[in-house]
Amino acid sequence: METTTIYRINEKDRTIDIAQSVQNDEESIHGAVLNTKTFTFDELLNQRKTFGEHTEPFDTFRDRLHSALRIGRSIEVSTEDMIARFVAEYGENIFFKGFVSAVIELYDSERNQLLKPNDVVLAKLNKNKIQSGISERINNFFDTQLPLMCSEAYFSYMISLEYFSLQPSRTVIAVDDYTFNVFHESDNCLMTVLAEIGQLVHKNKWTVCKCGFCHKLFIGTEGEVCCHSAECIEAQKQQKEKNIEENTQEYSAIKRDYDSFVRRYKGYLDVVKTKQYHPDDYDAFMQAKKERMDKMDALKKKLIRNDLPSAELYDLGKQFKAEIKALTEEILEKYGFDVTEVAKIKKPKKTKKQP
């Protein structure tokens, strides 16, 4: 019996609603629309990976079809046990189910030449030739479809999609008193679905990443370390909060060391009364001090917010220390002071005003 697969992609949610291998008539398709199963892009990615890594059953399946084709006028082949074994070992897999369904549909269609020949006499005389022709077409289906389904190109924008063509699919519209659903028809192997996902991956420059929490693959951008599951997002949030708490002390220590250094060099200018006698130079120093302090504060907040290492803050502090030191020495030397000698002068303590 001819079957079809329908699907609807929700790009915003990164999900696909699929009804797989339903009878190809209006009533069955309408019923299937109301009972679709929703998969995330990440679930399909992992199912397709499992499918591609475990193609051993297909060799047995192919041999089984060729043998069944040559028994009498060919016999019907059931795939329920084959699908059940695969699911038991590797979990649900719509690509495995879809490919097996497509092969069986091809097999049943082709063997009609033996079951219901147009010319019975000619069919008897050329039975072996007909069987060989059917076997060739089955082999060709395996040899062309399997590599396309196992291709990595669909899930990484860095890989070019090779050219291949698919038959145009129908648009399926199911309307009732409450809903209006627009689906598209796919081949049972879900090549159409893979091609549409591939388009989105290449358009959005997505690639395959590995989650640092559940260790499953997911579709994301380069450098992402967390998949889109609620559990992993929460785990990442908790880890980030813990790291922020631990690292904030290190960030703060670097910042305090820098602040202390700047205060010391500002003190040298205060000792020789730069503000009083050379206000323009003093203002230039204070402006430079403020600009660098703001940049240090901004970088510290960025590192904490993104849970990044402190090395960048340390390097920036080291650079700014050198610049503040050079600026202070330049101002002091301009008026005949040596920073080493100035450093030995004790800054007078402020006295409280008597009431």
Side-chain angles (χ1 to χ4, degrees), residues 258-267 285 289 293 324:
Y258 174 76
D259 292 347
S260 176
F261 181 90
V262 174
R263 282 196 301 270
R264 185 164 73 250
Y265 276 80
K266 176 182 175 294
F285 174 88
K289 169 181 171 291
M293 195 70 73
I324 289 293

Side-chain angles (χ1 to χ4, degrees), residues 106-123:
L106 172 66
Y107 171 81
D108 288 340
S109 172
E110 290 287 345
R111 74 192 184 97
N112 271 331
Q113 297 179 58
L114 297 171
L115 296 175
K116 299 176 181 179
N118 293 326
D119 189 320
V120 176
V121 175
L122 192 63

Side-chain angles (χ1 to χ4, degrees), residues 3 274 355:
T3 61
T274 309

Side-chain angles (χ1 to χ4, degrees), residues 7-17 39-42 44 152-159 161 184 191-208 219-221 224 228:
Y7 69 97
R8 175 176 59 185
I9 292 182
N10 306 305
E11 183 177 353
K12 182 180 178 181
D13 299 332
R14 295 193 187 188
T15 60
I16 304 181
D17 302 322
F39 299 88
T40 66
F41 287 4
D42 295 344
L44 292 183
E152 299 297 328
Y154 306 107
F155 296 101
S156 177
Y157 77 92
M158 293 180 288
I159 303 176
L161 284 170
H184 298 287
M191 289 296 303
T192 312
V193 172
L194 285 173
E196 285 217 43
I197 292 176
Q199 276 194 323
L200 293 175
V201 166
H202 283 68
K203 181 183 79 171
N204 294 297
K205 298 191 181 303
W206 291 333
T207 190
V208 176
I219 301 174
T221 54
E224 277 192 82
H228 307 106

